[in-house]
Amino acid sequence: QVQLVEAGGGLVQAGGSLRLSCAASGRTFSRLDMGWFRQAPGKEREFVAGILWPGGSTYYADSMKGRFTISRDNAENTVYLQMNSLKPEDTALYYCAARRATGVMSPKAAFYDIWGQGTQVTVSS
């Protein structure tokens, strides 16, 4: 089975940048639609960005558009989330998620069945 491992989270000052990575292992990483979600304490899991197989189509939540960029390196079985102009409200546990390619992107967490362990992003004011 495919296993996803996130990395790159940390503490950053407002206005700063972080790049998260999500590396797949265990089985082939081919033909997967990928998404990034985040969850803050007391809040529901929220869609951040998504990228369809093989990587030509990307999607963003409105609040992240223009600040975050999702990309993938299929040869390295890795998906990235570049986060710029970070705000304190971006503080959350960020999860990488995957599902078999469908041709459409869904912002619903329930549509994804493979999840990483999460990486913490904390933005100070």
Side-chain angles (χ1 to χ4, degrees):
Q1 57 186 6
V2 177
Q3 188 171 2
L4 305 178
V5 179
E6 303 98 329
L11 176 64
V12 65
Q13 191 175 17
S17 299
L18 285 173
R19 189 178 76 154
L20 307 183
S21 64
C22 172
S25 63
R27 291 207 301 172
T28 179
F29 197 45
S30 65
R31 299 186 180 277
L32 294 175
D33 295 334
M34 307 296 301
W36 284 97
F37 292 79
R38 68 186 186 186
Q39 189 166 23
K43 295 188 176 182
E44 294 186 345
R45 194 161 296 186
E46 176 187 24
F47 175 76
V48 174
I51 185 166
L52 297 179
W53 174 264
S57 298
T58 58
Y59 303 84
Y60 301 92
D62 288 341
S63 62
M64 292 87 181
K65 194 172 299 182
R67 299 190 299 125
F68 292 5
T69 302
I70 187 171
S71 62
R72 65 194 298 168
D73 185 341
N74 295 329
E76 297 295 329
N77 295 329
T78 303
V79 177
Y80 300 95
L81 183 68
Q82 178 67 45
M83 304 186 294
N84 299 324
S85 301
L86 284 163
K87 307 173 182 179
E89 50 262 47
D90 294 320
T91 296
L93 188 64
Y94 282 71
Y95 295 92
C96 178
R99 66 169 296 163
R100 282 183 170 267
T102 64
V104 296
M105 176 56 60
S106 175
K108 305 291 186 180
F111 280 79
Y112 298 86
D113 53 9
I114 307 172
W115 291 84
Q117 84 287 354
T119 184
Q120 179 66 40
V121 172
T122 302
V123 184
S124 63
S125 60

